[in-house]
Amino acid sequence: MKSLWNDREAAEFQGDLGLRIYTSRLLGRDPSLVLHGGGNTSVKIHEKNIFCEEEEVLHIKGSGHDLATIEGAGFSPVRLEGLKKLVKLENLSDSQLLNAFRAHLTDPSAPSPSVESLLHAILPGKYVDHTHADAVISITNTENGADRIRDIYGGKIVVIPYVMSGFLLARTAAEVYSQNATKDTVGMVVMNHGIFSFGESARESYERMIALVDMAEQFLKEKDAWDLPPADETPVEGPLRIQLTRLRGEISAAAKRPLILSVRNTSLGRAFARRDDAPQLSQQGPATPDHVIYTKRVPMLGRDAAAYRKSYEEYFAAGAKHSKKNLIMLDPAPRVVLDPEFGLCTAGRTAKEAQIASDLYGHTIGIILRADALGGYRALSARDIFDVEYWEPEQAKLLQPENLPLFTGETALVTGAASGIGRACVESLLERGAAVVGLDLDASVEKLLERPDYLGIKCDVTIEEEIDASLERGVRRFGGLDMVILNAGIFPASREIAELSLTEWHQVMTVNMDANLTVLRECHPLLQAAPKGGRVVVI
């Protein structure tokens, strides 16, 4: 791992917060460090309050923001003195902790501070960086992982045993860090969770992170655990759309709502799904507990969604038995599917959620295989994962009315999508939550929109083979079809019948009539399986 620091780039960012933004984005560029809102960064700045009194303020990444694209408004300014007082309390519930964070904001309109704000507050550096580096997690998630981390880093790192993020983790970290830190200490590793670095400048903290992660990578290379096994280059053979549509229907039934199901056509995913030991390796749990929100604790092996649902209900019952609260069960549908024929598939309420699950599990596969090469992958217990999945603030969200767009989880096919009415249909459907497959003879349809819930395909709807290939691509991307908007048509100049050639007549009828028959016929079995019933609009 190499530092991406660039003096010319850095000069464009002014002040302590500006450089904090710059190095946060550097971390966010590397998916082996952070993915989809993971990790967090902070800087401690002396500022004057409304009374012209100087106070130290921790600017920390706000919840819901991504390091790769973060702006100044994405950081939450929290009074540091208040955070340090919180750590000294005997006990604090999760909801009390989050309320206390908001009470100590210097700007009430700022985003909610990261749940790990207390960890940043107790560490000594002006700047603090936190990532979920693949290389480090590959080592912590093994038998004797803590000993390996100590062997690699010596006094550079303080090792903190796994405790769920929040007040208890901060209390534990403060205690362990104060007892074990030395003059050489530049960071901290929380087992099965991630790594922290700190420094007096943005560059120092960032480059310490890079150096620490590189040490983990070098260790894996020395143990012949860095290079992943050969990928499976055998493509996923088609057609698969009928099978995928049925599977999506069963998964949606378990979720009691339509879900997007996407085949992630990666050679690593195919190879992992086809391994003889996949049932053992994949069923231990996620690489870090945070992933459970998007991937569930374990993937579904094969296509028995009913069996997965039953297993999830048993997992919930076992976890809820140890809770003092009346918990609401999340939907028991899988979010990751490993199947020898399909390879890796992921599900989500939206195409973006399915993409996030894919990215997270793709990195999890690498972590599992590297940990296995070190002697065996060891995830946290089911109960530890359950506690994160059923975290108090997340449960509170379930009590709020769901405010999702009308067509969330559904997919629409629009013909003639590149312009005019077709393009307006595409935009309207996306606005209402649907994923959209847009077909058009004009190749511009492919670049119409750059977003995870849109797939544009150049297609001549008068050619059956092109319709067939387009539907196959669309179903592999989104899992099925719920709506069809037949909009493609040609409109030649008006003329008297005496001047109308049979060739022109046939051309118009082929596009405006016959093509619609072909599209409807091929879409029919897909629409039949739509979770909320298939719908068609003919323009």
Side-chain angles (χ1 to χ4, degrees), residues 251 254-255 259 282 284-300 308-309 312-313 315-316 328-337 347 357 360-361 364 385-386 389-390:
I251 291 174
L259 293 180
S282 68
Q284 292 190 50
T288 76
D290 295 356
H291 290 184
V292 71
I293 304 301
Y294 288 105
T295 67
K296 296 289 191 185
R297 190 179 77 86
V298 295
M300 180 170 81
Y308 186 94
R309 175 176 185 159
Y312 186 89
E313 288 169 345
Y315 156 75
F316 174 77
I328 304 170
M329 187 178 77
L330 301 169
D331 81 68
R335 293 302 189 268
V336 178
V337 179
L360 292 176
Y361 203 77
T364 297
I385 301 302
F386 181 90
E389 189 173 5
Y390 285 86

mmCIF file of all heavy atoms in Angstrom, residues 251 254-255 259 282 284-300 308-309 312-313 315-316 328-337 347 357 360-361 364 385-386 389-390:
data_model
loop_
_atom_site.group_PDB
_atom_site.id
_atom_site.type_symbol
_atom_site.label_atom_id
_atom_site.label_comp_id
_atom_site.label_asym_id
_atom_site.label_seq_id
_atom_site.Cartn_x
_atom_site.Cartn_y
_atom_site.Cartn_z
ATOM 1 N N ILE A 251 -37.417 -14.805 -2.767
ATOM 2 C CA ILE A 251 -36.730 -13.921 -1.815
ATOM 3 C C ILE A 251 -37.640 -12.743 -1.451
ATOM 4 O O ILE A 251 -37.727 -12.351 -0.287
ATOM 5 C CB ILE A 251 -35.394 -13.434 -2.409
ATOM 6 C CG1 ILE A 251 -34.410 -14.612 -2.487
ATOM 7 C CG2 ILE A 251 -34.794 -12.313 -1.573
ATOM 8 C CD1 ILE A 251 -33.106 -14.291 -3.193
ATOM 9 N N ALA A 254 -40.209 -13.814 1.034
ATOM 10 C CA ALA A 254 -39.663 -13.877 2.396
ATOM 11 C C ALA A 254 -39.561 -12.478 3.009
ATOM 12 O O ALA A 254 -39.793 -12.294 4.202
ATOM 13 C CB ALA A 254 -38.287 -14.549 2.384
ATOM 14 N N ALA A 255 -39.244 -11.481 2.171
ATOM 15 C CA ALA A 255 -39.113 -10.105 2.656
ATOM 16 C C ALA A 255 -40.461 -9.405 2.787
ATOM 17 O O ALA A 255 -40.559 -8.355 3.419
ATOM 18 C CB ALA A 255 -38.221 -9.309 1.714
ATOM 19 N N LEU A 259 -37.935 -7.018 -3.972
ATOM 20 C CA LEU A 259 -36.514 -6.712 -3.832
ATOM 21 C C LEU A 259 -35.844 -6.806 -5.192
ATOM 22 O O LEU A 259 -36.257 -7.580 -6.058
ATOM 23 C CB LEU A 259 -35.834 -7.690 -2.868
ATOM 24 C CG LEU A 259 -36.230 -7.649 -1.392
ATOM 25 C CD1 LEU A 259 -35.438 -8.700 -0.616
ATOM 26 C CD2 LEU A 259 -36.013 -6.275 -0.781
ATOM 27 N N SER A 282 -18.392 -19.726 4.482
ATOM 28 C CA SER A 282 -19.333 -18.610 4.327
ATOM 29 C C SER A 282 -20.315 -18.464 5.481
ATOM 30 O O SER A 282 -20.955 -17.413 5.609
ATOM 31 C CB SER A 282 -20.130 -18.781 3.029
ATOM 32 O OG SER A 282 -21.007 -19.899 3.128
ATOM 33 N N GLN A 284 -19.852 -18.473 8.786
ATOM 34 C CA GLN A 284 -19.353 -18.055 10.103
ATOM 35 C C GLN A 284 -19.778 -16.637 10.479
ATOM 36 O O GLN A 284 -19.957 -16.340 11.657
ATOM 37 C CB GLN A 284 -17.833 -18.154 10.136
ATOM 38 C CG GLN A 284 -17.329 -19.587 10.076
ATOM 39 C CD GLN A 284 -15.841 -19.641 10.360
ATOM 40 O OE1 GLN A 284 -15.352 -19.081 11.344
ATOM 41 N NE2 GLN A 284 -15.107 -20.289 9.482
ATOM 42 N N GLY A 285 -19.926 -15.766 9.512
ATOM 43 C CA GLY A 285 -20.327 -14.406 9.818
ATOM 44 C C GLY A 285 -19.561 -13.396 8.988
ATOM 45 O O GLY A 285 -18.617 -13.741 8.265
ATOM 46 N N PRO A 286 -19.942 -12.113 9.063
ATOM 47 C CA PRO A 286 -19.330 -11.072 8.239
ATOM 48 C C PRO A 286 -17.929 -10.699 8.710
ATOM 49 O O PRO A 286 -17.524 -11.011 9.838
ATOM 50 C CB PRO A 286 -20.288 -9.889 8.401
ATOM 51 C CG PRO A 286 -20.892 -10.103 9.757
ATOM 52 C CD PRO A 286 -21.003 -11.592 9.936
ATOM 53 N N ALA A 287 -17.207 -9.986 7.848
ATOM 54 C CA ALA A 287 -15.838 -9.575 8.177
ATOM 55 C C ALA A 287 -15.830 -8.585 9.337
ATOM 56 O O ALA A 287 -14.988 -8.657 10.226
ATOM 57 C CB ALA A 287 -15.171 -8.962 6.945
ATOM 58 N N THR A 288 -16.740 -7.635 9.328
ATOM 59 C CA THR A 288 -16.914 -6.729 10.462
ATOM 60 C C THR A 288 -18.404 -6.660 10.757
ATOM 61 O O THR A 288 -19.235 -6.814 9.852
ATOM 62 C CB THR A 288 -16.384 -5.303 10.179
ATOM 63 O OG1 THR A 288 -17.306 -4.621 9.339
ATOM 64 C CG2 THR A 288 -15.017 -5.342 9.529
ATOM 65 N N PRO A 289 -18.787 -6.417 11.998
ATOM 66 C CA PRO A 289 -20.212 -6.446 12.351
ATOM 67 C C PRO A 289 -21.048 -5.410 11.606
ATOM 68 O O PRO A 289 -22.235 -5.632 11.370
ATOM 69 C CB PRO A 289 -20.214 -6.204 13.873
ATOM 70 C CG PRO A 289 -18.853 -5.704 14.211
ATOM 71 C CD PRO A 289 -17.925 -6.229 13.184
ATOM 72 N N ASP A 290 -20.447 -4.275 11.223
ATOM 73 C CA ASP A 290 -21.212 -3.241 10.516
ATOM 74 C C ASP A 290 -21.820 -3.747 9.208
ATOM 75 O O ASP A 290 -22.866 -3.257 8.764
ATOM 76 C CB ASP A 290 -20.305 -2.041 10.181
ATOM 77 C CG ASP A 290 -19.811 -1.337 11.434
ATOM 78 O OD1 ASP A 290 -20.226 -1.739 12.536
ATOM 79 O OD2 ASP A 290 -19.008 -0.395 11.314
ATOM 80 N N HIS A 291 -21.181 -4.729 8.584
ATOM 81 C CA HIS A 291 -21.651 -5.225 7.291
ATOM 82 C C HIS A 291 -23.030 -5.872 7.376
ATOM 83 O O HIS A 291 -23.730 -5.983 6.370
ATOM 84 C CB HIS A 291 -20.663 -6.249 6.722
ATOM 85 C CG HIS A 291 -19.366 -5.648 6.289
ATOM 86 N ND1 HIS A 291 -18.377 -6.392 5.667
ATOM 87 C CD2 HIS A 291 -18.883 -4.388 6.386
ATOM 88 C CE1 HIS A 291 -17.342 -5.611 5.409
ATOM 89 N NE2 HIS A 291 -17.627 -4.390 5.830
ATOM 90 N N VAL A 292 -23.415 -6.329 8.578
ATOM 91 C CA VAL A 292 -24.658 -7.095 8.722
ATOM 92 C C VAL A 292 -25.868 -6.298 8.253
ATOM 93 O O VAL A 292 -26.860 -6.875 7.796
ATOM 94 C CB VAL A 292 -24.839 -7.565 10.185
ATOM 95 C CG1 VAL A 292 -25.173 -6.400 11.111
ATOM 96 C CG2 VAL A 292 -25.913 -8.647 10.285
ATOM 97 N N ILE A 293 -25.808 -4.979 8.327
ATOM 98 C CA ILE A 293 -26.943 -4.146 7.921
ATOM 99 C C ILE A 293 -27.270 -4.371 6.450
ATOM 100 O O ILE A 293 -28.438 -4.348 6.044
ATOM 101 C CB ILE A 293 -26.648 -2.656 8.178
ATOM 102 C CG1 ILE A 293 -26.273 -2.419 9.650
ATOM 103 C CG2 ILE A 293 -27.824 -1.788 7.775
ATOM 104 C CD1 ILE A 293 -27.335 -2.836 10.633
ATOM 105 N N TYR A 294 -26.247 -4.595 5.622
ATOM 106 C CA TYR A 294 -26.460 -4.767 4.183
ATOM 107 C C TYR A 294 -26.381 -6.223 3.723
ATOM 108 O O TYR A 294 -26.960 -6.570 2.687
ATOM 109 C CB TYR A 294 -25.425 -3.953 3.391
ATOM 110 C CG TYR A 294 -25.660 -2.472 3.455
ATOM 111 C CD1 TYR A 294 -24.862 -1.649 4.244
ATOM 112 C CD2 TYR A 294 -26.685 -1.877 2.735
ATOM 113 C CE1 TYR A 294 -25.075 -0.276 4.301
ATOM 114 C CE2 TYR A 294 -26.915 -0.502 2.789
ATOM 115 C CZ TYR A 294 -26.106 0.287 3.580
ATOM 116 O OH TYR A 294 -26.325 1.645 3.642
ATOM 117 N N THR A 295 -25.670 -7.074 4.446
ATOM 118 C CA THR A 295 -25.429 -8.439 3.948
ATOM 119 C C THR A 295 -26.117 -9.531 4.760
ATOM 120 O O THR A 295 -26.074 -10.683 4.366
ATOM 121 C CB THR A 295 -23.913 -8.748 3.937
ATOM 122 O OG1 THR A 295 -23.425 -8.802 5.284
ATOM 123 C CG2 THR A 295 -23.138 -7.706 3.142
ATOM 124 N N LYS A 296 -26.782 -9.187 5.876
ATOM 125 C CA LYS A 296 -27.236 -10.164 6.861
ATOM 126 C C LYS A 296 -25.999 -10.881 7.425
ATOM 127 O O LYS A 296 -24.863 -10.666 6.975
ATOM 128 C CB LYS A 296 -28.214 -11.170 6.271
ATOM 129 C CG LYS A 296 -29.526 -10.582 5.775
ATOM 130 C CD LYS A 296 -30.414 -10.137 6.905
ATOM 131 C CE LYS A 296 -31.809 -9.803 6.415
ATOM 132 N NZ LYS A 296 -32.674 -9.249 7.469
ATOM 133 N N ARG A 297 -26.229 -11.720 8.420
ATOM 134 C CA ARG A 297 -25.070 -12.360 9.068
ATOM 135 C C ARG A 297 -24.369 -13.336 8.133
ATOM 136 O O ARG A 297 -23.140 -13.387 8.058
ATOM 137 C CB ARG A 297 -25.509 -13.088 10.352
ATOM 138 C CG ARG A 297 -24.325 -13.557 11.203
ATOM 139 C CD ARG A 297 -24.785 -14.249 12.462
ATOM 140 N NE ARG A 297 -25.233 -15.594 12.208
ATOM 141 C CZ ARG A 297 -24.422 -16.671 12.159
ATOM 142 N NH1 ARG A 297 -23.121 -16.540 12.349
ATOM 143 N NH2 ARG A 297 -24.901 -17.861 11.916
ATOM 144 N N VAL A 298 -25.137 -14.143 7.415
ATOM 145 C CA VAL A 298 -24.546 -15.133 6.505
ATOM 146 C C VAL A 298 -25.293 -15.102 5.177
ATOM 147 O O VAL A 298 -26.459 -14.706 5.111
ATOM 148 C CB VAL A 298 -24.592 -16.561 7.101
ATOM 149 C CG1 VAL A 298 -23.723 -16.657 8.341
ATOM 150 C CG2 VAL A 298 -26.027 -16.985 7.418
ATOM 151 N N PRO A 299 -24.642 -15.540 4.099
ATOM 152 C CA PRO A 299 -25.329 -15.621 2.805
ATOM 153 C C PRO A 299 -26.211 -16.860 2.723
ATOM 154 O O PRO A 299 -26.086 -17.784 3.528
ATOM 155 C CB PRO A 299 -24.171 -15.709 1.808
ATOM 156 C CG PRO A 299 -23.055 -16.329 2.571
ATOM 157 C CD PRO A 299 -23.212 -15.866 3.995
ATOM 158 N N MET A 300 -27.101 -16.867 1.748
ATOM 159 C CA MET A 300 -27.890 -18.063 1.448
ATOM 160 C C MET A 300 -27.099 -18.925 0.477
ATOM 161 O O MET A 300 -26.615 -18.434 -0.546
ATOM 162 C CB MET A 300 -29.232 -17.675 0.825
ATOM 163 C CG MET A 300 -30.111 -18.869 0.489
ATOM 164 S SD MET A 300 -31.806 -18.409 0.011
ATOM 165 C CE MET A 300 -31.566 -17.948 -1.710
ATOM 166 N N TYR A 308 -33.862 -20.614 4.320
ATOM 167 C CA TYR A 308 -33.094 -19.475 4.853
ATOM 168 C C TYR A 308 -33.960 -18.673 5.810
ATOM 169 O O TYR A 308 -33.502 -18.267 6.889
ATOM 170 C CB TYR A 308 -32.589 -18.589 3.715
ATOM 171 C CG TYR A 308 -31.672 -17.477 4.190
ATOM 172 C CD1 TYR A 308 -30.297 -17.648 4.195
ATOM 173 C CD2 TYR A 308 -32.184 -16.267 4.658
ATOM 174 C CE1 TYR A 308 -29.450 -16.635 4.647
ATOM 175 C CE2 TYR A 308 -31.350 -15.258 5.108
ATOM 176 C CZ TYR A 308 -29.984 -15.446 5.099
ATOM 177 O OH TYR A 308 -29.159 -14.449 5.554
ATOM 178 N N ARG A 309 -35.206 -18.464 5.417
ATOM 179 C CA ARG A 309 -36.110 -17.691 6.270
ATOM 180 C C ARG A 309 -36.286 -18.376 7.629
ATOM 181 O O ARG A 309 -36.227 -17.715 8.675
ATOM 182 C CB ARG A 309 -37.468 -17.540 5.584
ATOM 183 C CG ARG A 309 -38.501 -16.859 6.468
ATOM 184 C CD ARG A 309 -39.810 -16.636 5.761
ATOM 185 N NE ARG A 309 -40.716 -15.879 6.607
ATOM 186 C CZ ARG A 309 -41.754 -15.198 6.164
ATOM 187 N NH1 ARG A 309 -42.022 -15.166 4.872
ATOM 188 N NH2 ARG A 309 -42.538 -14.541 7.000
ATOM 189 N N TYR A 312 -33.211 -17.867 9.697
ATOM 190 C CA TYR A 312 -33.102 -16.504 10.215
ATOM 191 C C TYR A 312 -34.053 -16.307 11.394
ATOM 192 O O TYR A 312 -33.701 -15.656 12.384
ATOM 193 C CB TYR A 312 -33.397 -15.485 9.124
ATOM 194 C CG TYR A 312 -33.157 -14.061 9.593
ATOM 195 C CD1 TYR A 312 -31.911 -13.464 9.453
ATOM 196 C CD2 TYR A 312 -34.165 -13.347 10.234
ATOM 197 C CE1 TYR A 312 -31.668 -12.182 9.927
ATOM 198 C CE2 TYR A 312 -33.936 -12.062 10.705
ATOM 199 C CZ TYR A 312 -32.690 -11.488 10.552
ATOM 200 O OH TYR A 312 -32.455 -10.228 11.034
ATOM 201 N N GLU A 313 -35.247 -16.865 11.309
ATOM 202 C CA GLU A 313 -36.215 -16.729 12.406
ATOM 203 C C GLU A 313 -35.681 -17.387 13.677
ATOM 204 O O GLU A 313 -35.882 -16.881 14.790
ATOM 205 C CB GLU A 313 -37.552 -17.336 11.990
ATOM 206 C CG GLU A 313 -38.287 -16.480 10.941
ATOM 207 C CD GLU A 313 -39.483 -17.187 10.332
ATOM 208 O OE1 GLU A 313 -39.592 -18.434 10.499
ATOM 209 O OE2 GLU A 313 -40.307 -16.511 9.683
ATOM 210 N N TYR A 315 -32.461 -17.712 14.381
ATOM 211 C CA TYR A 315 -31.384 -16.804 14.806
ATOM 212 C C TYR A 315 -31.963 -15.630 15.581
ATOM 213 O O TYR A 315 -31.437 -15.231 16.641
ATOM 214 C CB TYR A 315 -30.627 -16.346 13.558
ATOM 215 C CG TYR A 315 -29.869 -15.040 13.631
ATOM 216 C CD1 TYR A 315 -28.656 -14.946 14.317
ATOM 217 C CD2 TYR A 315 -30.344 -13.906 12.967
ATOM 218 C CE1 TYR A 315 -27.952 -13.739 14.346
ATOM 219 C CE2 TYR A 315 -29.649 -12.716 12.991
ATOM 220 C CZ TYR A 315 -28.447 -12.633 13.681
ATOM 221 O OH TYR A 315 -27.748 -11.449 13.700
ATOM 222 N N PHE A 316 -33.063 -15.070 15.073
ATOM 223 C CA PHE A 316 -33.692 -13.948 15.765
ATOM 224 C C PHE A 316 -34.226 -14.373 17.139
ATOM 225 O O PHE A 316 -34.040 -13.670 18.141
ATOM 226 C CB PHE A 316 -34.838 -13.374 14.930
ATOM 227 C CG PHE A 316 -35.622 -12.313 15.661
ATOM 228 C CD1 PHE A 316 -35.127 -11.036 15.813
ATOM 229 C CD2 PHE A 316 -36.854 -12.622 16.239
ATOM 230 C CE1 PHE A 316 -35.838 -10.065 16.498
ATOM 231 C CE2 PHE A 316 -37.573 -11.666 16.931
ATOM 232 C CZ PHE A 316 -37.069 -10.382 17.058
ATOM 233 N N ILE A 328 -38.267 -5.935 17.301
ATOM 234 C CA ILE A 328 -39.027 -6.178 16.074
ATOM 235 C C ILE A 328 -38.106 -6.897 15.092
ATOM 236 O O ILE A 328 -37.010 -6.416 14.790
ATOM 237 C CB ILE A 328 -39.501 -4.854 15.447
ATOM 238 C CG1 ILE A 328 -40.321 -4.052 16.464
ATOM 239 C CG2 ILE A 328 -40.303 -5.116 14.181
ATOM 240 C CD1 ILE A 328 -40.615 -2.640 16.006
ATOM 241 N N MET A 329 -38.541 -8.050 14.578
ATOM 242 C CA MET A 329 -37.690 -8.798 13.658
ATOM 243 C C MET A 329 -37.617 -8.099 12.300
ATOM 244 O O MET A 329 -38.633 -7.674 11.743
ATOM 245 C CB MET A 329 -38.211 -10.224 13.460
ATOM 246 C CG MET A 329 -37.258 -11.100 12.648
ATOM 247 S SD MET A 329 -37.806 -12.808 12.451
ATOM 248 C CE MET A 329 -39.052 -12.605 11.186
ATOM 249 N N LEU A 330 -36.404 -7.956 11.799
ATOM 250 C CA LEU A 330 -36.209 -7.455 10.445
ATOM 251 C C LEU A 330 -36.683 -8.512 9.455
ATOM 252 O O LEU A 330 -36.909 -9.668 9.821
ATOM 253 C CB LEU A 330 -34.729 -7.153 10.211
ATOM 254 C CG LEU A 330 -34.098 -6.124 11.150
ATOM 255 C CD1 LEU A 330 -32.578 -6.118 10.976
ATOM 256 C CD2 LEU A 330 -34.668 -4.751 10.901
ATOM 257 N N ASP A 331 -36.827 -8.138 8.202
ATOM 258 C CA ASP A 331 -37.283 -9.157 7.256
ATOM 259 C C ASP A 331 -36.238 -10.271 7.147
ATOM 260 O O ASP A 331 -35.031 -10.017 7.205
ATOM 261 C CB ASP A 331 -37.602 -8.541 5.893
ATOM 262 C CG ASP A 331 -36.382 -8.300 5.020
ATOM 263 O OD1 ASP A 331 -35.762 -9.278 4.585
ATOM 264 O OD2 ASP A 331 -36.065 -7.126 4.764
ATOM 265 N N PRO A 332 -36.691 -11.529 7.040
ATOM 266 C CA PRO A 332 -35.771 -12.671 7.079
ATOM 267 C C PRO A 332 -35.250 -13.104 5.709
ATOM 268 O O PRO A 332 -34.804 -14.239 5.547
ATOM 269 C CB PRO A 332 -36.639 -13.770 7.695
ATOM 270 C CG PRO A 332 -38.016 -13.462 7.208
ATOM 271 C CD PRO A 332 -38.101 -11.956 7.094
ATOM 272 N N ALA A 333 -35.321 -12.236 4.723
ATOM 273 C CA ALA A 333 -34.844 -12.590 3.386
ATOM 274 C C ALA A 333 -33.338 -12.411 3.284
ATOM 275 O O ALA A 333 -32.776 -11.488 3.881
ATOM 276 C CB ALA A 333 -35.533 -11.720 2.336
ATOM 277 N N PRO A 334 -32.652 -13.260 2.527
ATOM 278 C CA PRO A 334 -31.194 -13.113 2.362
ATOM 279 C C PRO A 334 -30.848 -11.874 1.560
ATOM 280 O O PRO A 334 -31.652 -11.383 0.761
ATOM 281 C CB PRO A 334 -30.800 -14.379 1.586
ATOM 282 C CG PRO A 334 -32.037 -14.746 0.823
ATOM 283 C CD PRO A 334 -33.178 -14.377 1.727
ATOM 284 N N ARG A 335 -29.655 -11.357 1.782
ATOM 285 C CA ARG A 335 -29.144 -10.251 0.982
ATOM 286 C C ARG A 335 -27.968 -10.684 0.108
ATOM 287 O O ARG A 335 -27.587 -9.966 -0.815
ATOM 288 C CB ARG A 335 -28.713 -9.093 1.890
ATOM 289 C CG ARG A 335 -29.876 -8.414 2.617
ATOM 290 C CD ARG A 335 -30.920 -7.866 1.649
ATOM 291 N NE ARG A 335 -31.916 -7.040 2.301
ATOM 292 C CZ ARG A 335 -33.072 -7.485 2.771
ATOM 293 N NH1 ARG A 335 -33.386 -8.777 2.667
ATOM 294 N NH2 ARG A 335 -33.935 -6.662 3.338
ATOM 295 N N VAL A 336 -27.391 -11.827 0.406
ATOM 296 C CA VAL A 336 -26.300 -12.392 -0.400
ATOM 297 C C VAL A 336 -26.656 -13.838 -0.710
ATOM 298 O O VAL A 336 -27.095 -14.579 0.175
ATOM 299 C CB VAL A 336 -24.947 -12.333 0.338
ATOM 300 C CG1 VAL A 336 -23.842 -12.975 -0.506
ATOM 301 C CG2 VAL A 336 -24.586 -10.890 0.686
ATOM 302 N N VAL A 337 -26.490 -14.223 -1.973
ATOM 303 C CA VAL A 337 -26.766 -15.598 -2.407
ATOM 304 C C VAL A 337 -25.510 -16.145 -3.067
ATOM 305 O O VAL A 337 -24.922 -15.495 -3.940
ATOM 306 C CB VAL A 337 -27.941 -15.648 -3.409
ATOM 307 C CG1 VAL A 337 -28.194 -17.088 -3.857
ATOM 308 C CG2 VAL A 337 -29.198 -15.036 -2.796
ATOM 309 N N ALA A 347 -29.075 -8.953 -3.014
ATOM 310 C CA ALA A 347 -30.424 -8.405 -3.021
ATOM 311 C C ALA A 347 -30.478 -7.139 -2.183
ATOM 312 O O ALA A 347 -29.668 -6.934 -1.279
ATOM 313 C CB ALA A 347 -31.418 -9.439 -2.473
ATOM 314 N N ALA A 357 -24.233 -4.330 -1.038
ATOM 315 C CA ALA A 357 -24.063 -5.693 -0.529
ATOM 316 C C ALA A 357 -23.027 -6.454 -1.341
ATOM 317 O O ALA A 357 -22.211 -7.208 -0.797
ATOM 318 C CB ALA A 357 -25.405 -6.428 -0.542
ATOM 319 N N LEU A 360 -19.454 -5.070 -0.482
ATOM 320 C CA LEU A 360 -19.038 -5.515 0.849
ATOM 321 C C LEU A 360 -18.699 -6.999 0.853
ATOM 322 O O LEU A 360 -17.679 -7.416 1.410
ATOM 323 C CB LEU A 360 -20.142 -5.228 1.870
ATOM 324 C CG LEU A 360 -20.436 -3.750 2.181
ATOM 325 C CD1 LEU A 360 -21.616 -3.641 3.130
ATOM 326 C CD2 LEU A 360 -19.216 -3.064 2.780
ATOM 327 N N TYR A 361 -19.552 -7.801 0.224
ATOM 328 C CA TYR A 361 -19.288 -9.244 0.269
ATOM 329 C C TYR A 361 -18.125 -9.636 -0.642
ATOM 330 O O TYR A 361 -17.406 -10.587 -0.348
ATOM 331 C CB TYR A 361 -20.530 -10.065 -0.067
ATOM 332 C CG TYR A 361 -20.397 -11.459 0.525
ATOM 333 C CD1 TYR A 361 -20.604 -11.660 1.886
ATOM 334 C CD2 TYR A 361 -19.976 -12.528 -0.248
ATOM 335 C CE1 TYR A 361 -20.415 -12.905 2.456
ATOM 336 C CE2 TYR A 361 -19.787 -13.786 0.318
ATOM 337 C CZ TYR A 361 -20.002 -13.963 1.667
ATOM 338 O OH TYR A 361 -19.792 -15.204 2.243
ATOM 339 N N THR A 364 -15.347 -9.215 1.532
ATOM 340 C CA THR A 364 -15.414 -10.243 2.573
ATOM 341 C C THR A 364 -14.834 -11.562 2.075
ATOM 342 O O THR A 364 -14.141 -12.260 2.820
ATOM 343 C CB THR A 364 -16.882 -10.444 3.025
ATOM 344 O OG1 THR A 364 -17.351 -9.239 3.607
ATOM 345 C CG2 THR A 364 -16.991 -11.563 4.043
ATOM 346 N N ILE A 385 -23.016 -10.387 16.482
ATOM 347 C CA ILE A 385 -23.545 -9.824 15.241
ATOM 348 C C ILE A 385 -24.993 -9.397 15.437
ATOM 349 O O ILE A 385 -25.427 -8.338 14.966
ATOM 350 C CB ILE A 385 -23.423 -10.834 14.087
ATOM 351 C CG1 ILE A 385 -21.953 -11.231 13.859
ATOM 352 C CG2 ILE A 385 -24.017 -10.264 12.809
ATOM 353 C CD1 ILE A 385 -21.038 -10.078 13.546
ATOM 354 N N PHE A 386 -25.762 -10.202 16.145
ATOM 355 C CA PHE A 386 -27.159 -9.880 16.426
ATOM 356 C C PHE A 386 -27.270 -8.527 17.135
ATOM 357 O O PHE A 386 -28.139 -7.715 16.813
ATOM 358 C CB PHE A 386 -27.784 -10.980 17.282
ATOM 359 C CG PHE A 386 -29.236 -10.745 17.616
ATOM 360 C CD1 PHE A 386 -30.236 -11.218 16.776
ATOM 361 C CD2 PHE A 386 -29.609 -10.055 18.760
ATOM 362 C CE1 PHE A 386 -31.570 -11.006 17.069
ATOM 363 C CE2 PHE A 386 -30.936 -9.831 19.066
ATOM 364 C CZ PHE A 386 -31.923 -10.311 18.217
ATOM 365 N N GLU A 389 -26.926 -5.862 14.554
ATOM 366 C CA GLU A 389 -28.067 -5.854 13.628
ATOM 367 C C GLU A 389 -29.313 -5.267 14.290
ATOM 368 O O GLU A 389 -30.119 -4.598 13.639
ATOM 369 C CB GLU A 389 -28.339 -7.275 13.133
ATOM 370 C CG GLU A 389 -29.349 -7.349 12.012
ATOM 371 C CD GLU A 389 -29.487 -8.744 11.423
ATOM 372 O OE1 GLU A 389 -28.862 -9.694 11.950
ATOM 373 O OE2 GLU A 389 -30.234 -8.893 10.448
ATOM 374 N N TYR A 390 -29.445 -5.514 15.605
ATOM 375 C CA TYR A 390 -30.624 -5.044 16.337
ATOM 376 C C TYR A 390 -30.250 -3.937 17.322
ATOM 377 O O TYR A 390 -30.783 -3.860 18.419
ATOM 378 C CB TYR A 390 -31.318 -6.229 17.024
ATOM 379 C CG TYR A 390 -32.072 -7.061 16.017
ATOM 380 C CD1 TYR A 390 -31.424 -8.080 15.300
ATOM 381 C CD2 TYR A 390 -33.397 -6.794 15.722
ATOM 382 C CE1 TYR A 390 -32.099 -8.804 14.335
ATOM 383 C CE2 TYR A 390 -34.075 -7.524 14.758
ATOM 384 C CZ TYR A 390 -33.430 -8.528 14.070
ATOM 385 O OH TYR A 390 -34.102 -9.242 13.100
#
